[in-house]
Amino acid sequence: MKHLISIILLIGIIFIAGCGQSNENKGINKDNNAVLTPVKFALDWTPNTNHTGIYVAKEKGYFKEQGLDVEILLPGEVRVNQLLAAEKADFGISYQEGLTQARSEGLPLVSIAAVLQHNTAGYASPKEKGITSPKDFEGKKFGAYGSDLEKAMMTTLMANDNANVDEVDFITTGDADFFVAVERDVDFSLVYYGWTGIEAELRGVDLNMVYLADFSDKLDFYTPIIATSEEMISADPELVKAFTHAAVKGYEFAIEHPEEAAQILINAVPDLDPDLVKRSQDWLSPRYQDDAEQFGIQEQDRWQKFADFLLENKIIDEAVDVDQAFTNEFLPDK
C-alpha cells in the first residue's frame, strides 16, 4: 500500500513539474535547452528555388537559433493567403498582386520581406513562334489562368507597343504543363524564367521571353514575398522579428553559396530534379537581392504604383493603403 501511495505521489510531482515547465516555455526562448516555439510556414507551390532560403534556415539551424521550430506546409486546396487570414499558418509565401487583392477584400495580410527584388515573370514562347515583342501577341493563342489581372497586364504591354489585346485568343489552360501546352494548345504563356525558363534550357528548348518589368514599371511588382497577418504582428512582434531574421539569414546564405543551398533543397525534397534545382539556384541567387541595399527590402513607390494599376483596371474596387500592406521593420539592421 505504501508503495502504491509513493507511486501516486511521484506521478503527481511529475505532472505538476511538467505543467510548470510548459508555462515557463511559452513564447520565444533562445536557450538551446528550451522548448522551441512552433511556427507553421505555408508554401505557395511545389518546393522550388523561390523557397530555398527557408529550407536553408531550417537545415542550418537559423530558426532554432531564434527559438523557433518551423514546420513547412506543402500547398493544398486552401491557398496561402486564406491560411494566413484564418490563422492556420503563421507565415507563408505570397505575391504582391495576390496580397493587394486580399487586402482589398478585407483580409489583413502584410508582406514582411521580398524574396525577389524584381519581377522575373514574362511571356514565354518557343523561338520558332517568332514572338519577340507585345505586338507579336496579335493573332496568337495565350495559355491563361482566366483572371482579369492577366488581361489587364497584357493590355498594358500591348498598348505600349501599339498593339490590340483583342487580337489575342485567350485559352484557359490553368496549371497545365507549359511545354505540353505550347506544343499542343497555345503559342505562349506567362512563366517565371527562374524555373520554367531554366527547365527549357535543360530540355534544349529555345525560348523567347517578353518580361513584364521591361515594358512597364507598374508591373515590376514584388513576386514572391514572405507574408504574415496583422494579428500575428500585433500579438507577437518578437516572434515575427525572430522568424524574419532567420529567414533573411537563410536567403543571404543562398546568395553567397548557391551550390550548397541548392543541395540543401534537393536533400529536403528528393523528388525534385537535381539539375533543375542547381541551374535554377545559380540563376536566381543573384536576383534575390539584386540592386537593393539589402535582401528583403520593399519600396513604397512600387507598392503604390501596382495598387493604382489594380484600381485603374478595376481589379480591385477600392483603394488599398499600401503602407499597411508591407513593412520593412522586421528586417535585420544593416
Side-chain angles (χ1 to χ4, degrees):
M1 183 68 176
K2 289 182 180 180
H3 181 64
L4 177 60
I5 293 172
S6 297
I7 292 174
I8 294 172
L9 288 173
L10 180 59
I11 291 173
I13 291 169
I14 292 172
F15 175 78
I16 293 169
C19 291
Q21 186 177 23
S22 175
N23 289 333
E24 289 174 1
N25 289 325
K26 286 184 178 179
I28 300 173
N29 194 328
K30 298 181 183 180
D31 182 344
N32 288 333
N33 296 318
V35 175
L36 300 176
T37 301
V39 169
K40 292 183 178 181
F41 184 88
L43 298 185
D44 58 317
W45 204 253
T46 302
N48 58 67
T49 46
N50 282 339
H51 313 139
T52 305
I54 301 299
Y55 282 92
V56 169
K58 187 174 178 68
E59 173 63 24
K60 289 287 186 180
Y62 301 155
F63 287 128
K64 187 175 181 181
E65 289 172 1
Q66 295 289 340
L68 307 177
D69 178 17
V70 174
E71 177 187 1
I72 299 174
L73 306 178
L74 297 178
E77 293 182 2
V78 181
R79 296 189 178 275
V80 172
N81 288 339
Q82 283 68 38
L83 290 174
L84 294 173
E87 299 182 34
K88 299 298 183 182
D90 304 301
F91 304 91
I93 294 287
S94 185
Y95 307 86
Q96 183 178 341
E97 61 270 40
L99 191 142
T100 306
Q101 292 179 71
R103 288 197 66 92
S104 75
E105 296 166 0
L107 299 183
L109 306 182
V110 183
S111 174
I112 55 176
V115 173
L116 289 169
Q117 269 302 308
H118 295 286
N119 190 352
T120 62
Y123 298 102
S125 60
K127 280 205 170 180
E128 59 267 23
K129 303 280 188 180
I131 302 172
T132 61
S133 71
K135 180 68 175 176
D136 296 327
F137 296 168
E138 291 184 339
K140 301 297 194 300
K141 295 179 180 179
F142 172 64
Y145 281 93
S147 72
D148 292 336
L149 177 58
E150 283 180 306
K151 186 77 172 284
M153 292 192 299
M154 189 179 292
T155 299
T156 297
L157 264 67
M158 294 186 72
N160 289 345
D161 206 22
N162 296 315
N164 184 1
V165 74
D166 292 332
E167 297 297 319
V168 179
D169 188 6
F170 281 71
I171 307 294
T172 301
T173 55
D175 294 334
D177 179 84
F178 167 79
F179 299 98
V180 173
V182 294
E183 183 178 328
R184 185 186 63 193
D185 304 315
V186 301
D187 297 302
F188 68 115
S189 191
L190 189 66
V191 306
Y192 291 99
Y193 192 85
W195 194 256
T196 305
I198 300 300
E199 185 177 356
E201 292 180 8
L202 292 172
R203 288 171 176 245
V205 177
D206 291 330
L207 296 181
N208 283 326
M209 289 292 299
V210 178
Y211 290 100
L212 295 172
D214 287 347
F215 288 85
S216 174
D217 59 356
K218 293 180 181 179
L219 299 181
D220 189 16
F221 46 83
Y222 296 107
T223 179
I225 55 178
I226 297 175
T228 188
S229 64
E230 287 184 1
E231 174 61 27
M232 174 62 72
I233 290 174
S234 174
D236 203 338
E238 286 302 311
L239 188 151
V240 178
K241 180 179 178 181
F243 178 87
T244 307
H245 280 215
V248 168
K249 192 173 180 180
Y251 280 100
E252 288 177 338
F253 181 93
I255 292 170
E256 297 295 328
H257 309 281
E259 185 174 348
E260 186 178 346
Q263 192 59 53
I264 288 172
L265 178 58
I266 292 164
N267 292 344
V269 192
D271 290 341
L272 294 175
D273 179 344
D275 291 335
L276 175 56
V277 172
K278 291 174 184 177
R279 287 275 291 272
S280 173
Q281 196 64 61
D282 282 341
W283 191 89
L284 211 59
S285 280
R287 290 171 171 81
Y288 286 142
Q289 181 173 334
D290 206 298
D291 56 359
E293 63 185 53
Q294 69 179 104
F295 172 82
I297 200 163
Q298 302 168 82
E299 297 176 359
Q300 198 270 355
D301 181 61
R302 285 167 64 190
W303 274 87
Q304 190 63 60
K305 284 180 179 178
F306 187 64
D308 292 343
F309 171 84
L310 294 179
L311 189 62
E312 291 163 5
N313 287 277
K314 299 181 180 179
I315 308 299
I316 58 176
D317 296 324
E318 297 182 6
V320 170
D321 183 354
V322 299
D323 291 327
Q324 301 298 315
F326 81 98
T327 180
N328 292 316
E329 69 173 298
F330 298 107
L331 296 174
D333 293 332
K334 294 294 182 181

